[in-house]
Amino acid sequence: MATFFEHFTPEEIARISATGRRVKLPEGWSPIWEDTPADKAYILLAGTVSVRRDGQEIAQLGPGDIVGEAAIVGQKLRTASIVALTPLDTIHLTDETLRELDSEWPAFHQALVEVAQSRFGNA
């Protein structure tokens, strides 16, 4: 399965990175909780997260992947929790920033759609 960043050129990745805020998160931290409002997303630069639904791991994601985007785009509550398995280096995107990128940049929107379809097709 392709990572989110594989859809973009280095210049486009730099644009996305500049839009967000670099945030480091410790191992064991859970930045996203199931059944909570969608107010942020993270693009993983380094580290690994566990994606959990009802306490059960359903996937692991790593560098180049995005987490938290589906609930923002779908305007729904979170469907899974994210737990850092290692220390993380991320790009934090607010819901507003993600929606702006999504509406103003067709390639960003298409990448979000493809990632969401590949995940929900396998879940």
Side-chain angles (χ1 to χ4, degrees):
M1 182 167 59
T3 68
F4 181 68
F5 266 176
E6 287 176 27
H7 293 86
F8 302 103
T9 66
E11 292 79 17
E12 290 170 329
I13 290 170
R15 176 181 170 189
I16 296 166
S17 299
T19 305
R21 186 168 52 96
R22 256 330 245 285
V23 176
K24 294 185 182 293
L25 301 171
E27 180 178 344
W29 186 262
S30 185
I32 292 175
W33 290 84
E34 194 170 357
D35 297 323
T36 61
D39 60 349
K40 61 189 172 254
Y42 294 91
I43 299 172
L44 305 176
L45 300 176
T48 304
V49 299
S50 171
V51 181
R52 299 177 184 173
R53 187 174 294 142
D54 298 323
Q56 298 295 312
E57 183 173 285
I58 57 171
Q60 286 190 9
L61 299 172
D65 284 317
I66 187 169
V67 296
E69 81 297 338
I72 294 173
V73 173
Q75 298 180 344
K76 298 182 243 170
L77 291 178
R78 305 271 185 207
T79 58
S81 296
I82 304 298
V83 179
L85 298 176
T86 65
L88 302 178
D89 189 5
T90 71
I91 298 169
H92 171 271
L93 298 171
T94 65
D95 55 339
E96 185 178 333
T97 301
L98 186 84
R99 279 197 288 268
E100 282 174 14
L101 286 170
D102 184 51
S103 66
E104 295 170 5
W105 190 4
F108 189 87
H109 174 77
Q110 188 58 38
L112 285 178
V113 169
E114 288 179 23
V115 167
Q117 286 176 341
S118 69
R119 287 190 190 158
F120 294 119
N122 296 335

